């Protein structure tokens, strides 16, 4: 061949294999789920309750923050109207920017929902020109300017050339004259408002529409996190444009209003016309969420005392976040339905009774293994015990009755709990707690009437004045009145009778004889001439008369009312664990909730460094005695060696030990033993391992000795 021709081409072949199927939420739920035969029903119930928690919590959030949001809307509207009617100079100086200081508290995770609601309300009813910014995206002044302009004007970067050209223009503009950076916004705002003021041809325009200039609202979500210098420069620039731009600021403050004075000097803060707005306390928000989501029989899923205590501890000692508290409830809900096959009965009464009839033999056997059901069986007659352990049909019938009793128990438990809280929340020193959640935790742990604080509360109730006691009993009547059960109807009738008797005390004319009258005759007998025996007898009668002091009608009725409340508590406030089949709707794994929500990273890191096999799944790293293999990663070897040292670690000795271990793993003698020097590669690996330990917080440099490091942790896994 004298000539040859070579052709090259690229051909694309579409894969014939089907696309990988994406797993749905139900697939993720059923994967590894206990007892997969009813997993679909459990998933549907779980998802319904999950959506209910989310929806109800958002509605409560809107209701609780409605007042402060309305106040902020009124503030922005007032400032806008004042400016439009040319009263700006009379209300404030021309250079002042109206500013709302919104103190939201330290529950930072909850702030996002509040700002989102505020953003939407402002856009709907006040102005379309609203933007919100965060400190993490505004490290420098040019970044802050860019974010504000982009979000207000809706500008976007199309391609790289335009992005570079725009960046060069903005950079040059900021360096030449920083105050000109808002001129573009002024021109854009004038064009926007001019279009809105322009009426249709042939139609007479309203004079008020000509003057209409909606404000430009800038929301600073996390004021404390902003760079003070950047914030000061931005306020100074905006004050120069306040006559052309109707700017308004909203500062989101987590700590205290004094933060503004700490961040801004007087020359800058004097340019702001600040009005303070205080949000609802996060503890009040939490009390409302617990009252609406947990303390109601309409929500079948419940938390036992230990899980509730874990969630409360995380809230009170970590973040004060109601949003995270709600997420904790959702986590417990998911874990309960995923790990408990009998959670298919954790729903409303009708659905639970229907699902009970569909339970398989394996699920009925799980019911027999429940601790509460075992206690129930032990209390029955011998023949009933045999039927409950052998007859599946009989178990279903009994369990249907037990499910009804459990729902009836919840229906009566929470109203009586609120009654007890009404009576004891205003007592001196709050023996049963000031908040309803505190009393609820006490009732979850054990019989509340066996608590010493409960006995103290009952004694204090016996010393209440009439008006206060009657007012509390009337409040209890209002709480119990809506409950539709036979026991509660009888209780309300008895309570009404007590209140009627209290009212009749004022109209009773006949009074009981005074105690002084009962002891006058013995005193008169003492004035008579008598012997020693008669004197002793008279003194005994006087002592007996004092002991047999008759109570007034009010005191007797008050004791009767307290005894009535005591009997009501003992009848309905027994702990949930005493109820049969409580495991169906009560989640009790507090350790799982704590592990997911209150993680301990140091413990996890120590476990990984001490037992790398369980994380890397390498058979070479597996050891029986718990020690670290000499073939483990360098950081694991360095960590193991540092556990054998004291407070100060000699780096050279540490390096020698490391080199010896690594050389033994490679099957060679230690390099230091032959040449007196350590291999450069091993030296570099050791330095990297030490740097990683320092980054993780196990060691730190020390000035006591230059060739030593200080150990920061003690003990290991």
């Amino acid at each position: 061949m004298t000539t040859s021709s070579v052709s090259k081409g690229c051909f694309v072949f579409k894969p014939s294999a089907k696309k990988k199927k994406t797993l749905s939420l139900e697939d993720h739920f059923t994967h590894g789920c206990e007892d997969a035969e009813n997993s679909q029903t459990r998933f549907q119930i779980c998802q319904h309750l999950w959506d209910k928690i989310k929806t109800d919590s958002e509605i409560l959030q809107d209701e609780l923050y409605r007042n402060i949001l309305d106040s902020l809307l009124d503030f922005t509207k007032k400032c806008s109207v004042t400016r439009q009617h040319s009263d700006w100079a009379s209300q404030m100086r021309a250079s002042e920017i109206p500013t709302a200081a919104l103190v939201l508290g330290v529950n930072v995770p909850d702030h996002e929902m509040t700002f989102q609601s505020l953003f939407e309300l402002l856009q709907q009813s006040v102005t379309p020109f609203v933007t919100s910014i965060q400190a993490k995206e505004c490290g420098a002044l040019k970044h802050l300017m860019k974010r504000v302009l982009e979000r207000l004007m809706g500008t976007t970067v199309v391609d790289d050339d335009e992005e570079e050209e725009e960046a060069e223009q903005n950079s040059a503009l900021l360096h030449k004259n920083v105050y000109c950076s808002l001129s573009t916004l002024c021109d854009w705002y004038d064009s926007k408002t001019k279009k809105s003021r322009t009426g249709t041809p042939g139609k007479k325009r309203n004079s008020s529409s000509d003057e209409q200039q909606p404000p430009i609202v800038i929301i600073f979500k996390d004021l404390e996190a902003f760079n003070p210098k950047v914030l000061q420069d931005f306020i100074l620039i905006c004050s120069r444009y306040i006559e052309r731009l109707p700017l308004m600021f909203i500062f989101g403050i987590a700590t205290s209003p004094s933060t503004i004075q700490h961040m801004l000097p007087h020359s800058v803060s004097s340019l702001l016309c600040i009005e303070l707005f205080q949000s609802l306390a996060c503890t009040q928000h939490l009390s409302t969420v617990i009252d609406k989501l947990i303390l109601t029989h309409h929500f079948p899923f419940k938390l036992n005392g230990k899980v509730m205590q874990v969630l409360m501890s995380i809230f009170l000692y970590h973040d004060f976040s109601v949003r995270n508290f709600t997420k904790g409830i959702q986590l417990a809900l998911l874990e309960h339905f995923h790990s408990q096959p009998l959670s298919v009965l954790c729903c409303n009464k009708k659905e639970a009774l229907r699902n009970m009839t569909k339970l398989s033999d394996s699920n009925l056997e799980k019911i027999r293994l429940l601790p509460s059901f075992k206690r129930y069986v032990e209390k029955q007659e011998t023949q009933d015990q045999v039927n409950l352990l052998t007859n599946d049909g009989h178990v279903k019938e009994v369990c249907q009755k037990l499910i009804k009793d459990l729902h009836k128990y919840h229906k009566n438990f929470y109203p009586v709990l609120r009654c007890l809280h009404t009576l004891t929340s205003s007592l001196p020193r709050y023996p049963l707690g000031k908040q309803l959640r505190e009393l609820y935790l006490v009732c979850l742990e054990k019989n509340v009437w066996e608590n010493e604080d409960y006995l103290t509360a009952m004694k204090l109730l016996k010393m209440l004045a009439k008006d206060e006691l009657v007012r509390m009993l009337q409040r209890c009547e209002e709480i119990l009145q809506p409950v539709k059960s036979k026991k509660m109807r009888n209780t309300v009738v008895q309570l009404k009778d007590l209140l009627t008797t209290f009212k009749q005390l004022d109209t009773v004319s006949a009074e009981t004889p005074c105690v002084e009258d009962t002891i006058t005759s013995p005193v008169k007998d003492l004035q008579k001439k008598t012997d020693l025996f008669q004197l002793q007898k008279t003194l005994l009668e006087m002592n007996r008369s004092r002991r047999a002091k008759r109570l007034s009608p009010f005191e007797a009725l008050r004791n009767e009312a307290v005894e009535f409340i005591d009997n009501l508590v003992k009848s309905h406030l027994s702990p949930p664990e005493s109820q049969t089949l409580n495991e169906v709707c009560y989640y009790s794994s507090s350790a799982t909730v704590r592990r997911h929500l209150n993680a301990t990273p140091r413990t996890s890191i120590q476990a990984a460094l001490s037992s790398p096999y369980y994380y890397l799944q390498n058979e070479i790293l597996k050891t029986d005695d718990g020690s670290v293999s000499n073939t483990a990663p360098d950081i694991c070897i360095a960590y193991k060696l540092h556990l054998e040292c004291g407070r100060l670690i000699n780096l050279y000795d540490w390096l020698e030990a490391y080199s010896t271990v690594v050389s033994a793993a490679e099957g060679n003698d230690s390099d230091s033993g032959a040449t007196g020097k350590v291999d450069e590669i091993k030296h570099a690996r050791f330095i990297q391992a030490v740097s990683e330990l320092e980054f993780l917080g196990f060691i730190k440099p020390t000035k006591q000795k230059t060739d030593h490091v200080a150990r920061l942790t003690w003990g290991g896994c």
Side-chain angles (χ1 to χ4, degrees), residues 241-449:
Y241 288 86
I242 190 62
E243 294 182 357
R244 296 181 60 187
L245 291 174
L247 293 170
M248 291 186 188
F249 294 159
I250 296 178
F251 289 161
I253 302 174
T255 53
S256 171
S258 60
T259 303
I260 300 177
Q261 281 72 28
H262 295 160
M263 296 183 64
L264 306 177
H266 182 265
S267 59
V268 179
S269 61
S270 60
L271 300 175
L272 305 176
C273 180
I274 303 175
E275 187 168 339
L276 183 64
F277 296 88
Q278 185 74 43
S279 69
L280 182 72
C282 54
T283 52
Q284 298 178 5
H285 187 187
L286 176 69
S287 299
T288 306
V289 169
I290 292 177
D291 187 42
K292 301 296 183 181
L293 290 183
I294 297 179
L295 303 182
T296 172
H297 69 278
H298 298 292
F299 192 72
F301 175 71
K302 306 295 177 184
L303 304 174
N304 79 334
K306 292 183 179 179
V307 177
M308 191 73 180
Q309 188 64 53
V310 168
L311 296 180
M312 289 300 306
S313 299
I314 294 175
F315 174 85
L316 295 174
Y317 300 112
H318 287 81
D319 54 13
F320 286 102
S321 173
V322 179
R323 182 182 180 185
N324 289 347
F325 182 86
T326 306
K327 288 183 178 179
I329 299 177
Q330 290 178 322
L331 171 65
L333 175 74
L334 182 61
E335 287 286 338
H336 179 67
F337 279 89
H338 188 265
S339 60
Q340 174 59 272
L342 298 177
S343 59
V344 69
L345 304 177
C346 183
C347 49
N348 60 68
K349 185 171 66 173
K350 291 183 179 179
E351 189 176 359
L353 296 177
R354 183 171 62 252
N355 292 337
M356 173 62 71
T357 59
K358 300 178 182 179
L359 289 182
S360 62
D361 296 342
S362 60
N363 287 331
L364 292 177
E365 192 62 32
K366 289 183 175 66
I367 290 180
R368 293 188 179 99
L369 296 176
L370 294 177
S372 62
F373 191 79
K374 289 181 179 179
R375 293 194 299 267
Y376 174 80
V377 173
E378 292 173 356
K379 297 178 182 178
Q380 305 304 312
E381 300 289 339
T382 305
Q383 186 60 39
D384 290 339
Q385 292 181 1
V386 173
N387 292 334
L388 289 172
L389 296 177
T390 58
N391 191 341
D392 292 345
H394 183 64
V395 170
K396 289 184 178 181
E397 294 178 0
V398 172
C399 286
Q400 284 182 335
K401 177 181 178 300
L402 294 176
I403 288 293
K404 293 179 182 178
D405 294 341
L406 186 61
H407 282 267
K408 189 182 299 182
Y409 163 79
H410 288 141
K411 197 173 184 180
N412 297 331
F413 179 88
Y414 298 112
V416 176
L417 179 72
R418 290 187 173 87
C419 288
L420 182 60
H421 176 256
T422 301
L423 292 166
T424 59
S425 59
S426 59
L427 294 177
R429 297 185 179 181
Y430 311 108
L432 291 178
K434 189 177 181 180
Q435 301 292 337
L436 180 59
R437 63 174 183 268
E438 301 176 72
L439 178 59
Y440 180 59
L441 288 175
V442 175
C443 295
L444 287 178
E445 293 176 358
K446 61 178 182 179
N447 293 328
V448 64
W449 57 87

Side-chain angles (χ1 to χ4, degrees), residues 134-151:
Q134 289 181 290
K136 63 182 180 181
E137 55 190 9
C138 304
L141 179 60
K142 62 179 180 180
H143 298 151
L144 176 56
M145 289 287 188
K146 185 178 180 181
R147 295 294 181 274
V148 172
L149 291 176
E150 286 181 348
R151 293 176 183 177

Side-chain angles (χ1 to χ4, degrees), residues 114-133:
T114 305
F115 283 121
Q116 183 64 30
S117 300
L118 176 62
F119 187 91
E120 294 173 355
L121 289 174
L122 287 173
Q123 279 194 329
Q124 292 173 3
S125 58
V126 179
T127 174
F129 311 125
V130 186
T131 183
S132 61
I133 51 178

Side-chain angles (χ1 to χ4, degrees), residues 75-85 88 92 94-99 126-131 152 182 185-193 197 211-218 238-250:
F75 171 76
T76 54
K77 290 178 181 178
K78 180 184 68 175
C79 294
S80 179
V81 171
T82 302
R83 182 183 178 90
Q84 292 174 17
H85 288 78
W88 196 259
M92 58 185 74
S95 59
E96 285 186 342
I97 303 173
T99 304
V126 179
T127 174
F129 311 125
V130 186
T131 183
L152 285 175
L182 288 181
L185 181 62
C186 292
D187 298 337
W188 174 83
Y189 180 77
D190 291 339
S191 64
K192 288 290 183 181
T193 54
R197 291 195 302 267
E211 300 176 356
Q212 184 179 5
Q213 290 185 335
I216 298 177
V217 182
I218 303 176
C238 291
S239 65
R240 304 293 178 133
Y241 288 86
I242 190 62
E243 294 182 357
R244 296 181 60 187
L245 291 174
L247 293 170
M248 291 186 188
F249 294 159
I250 296 178

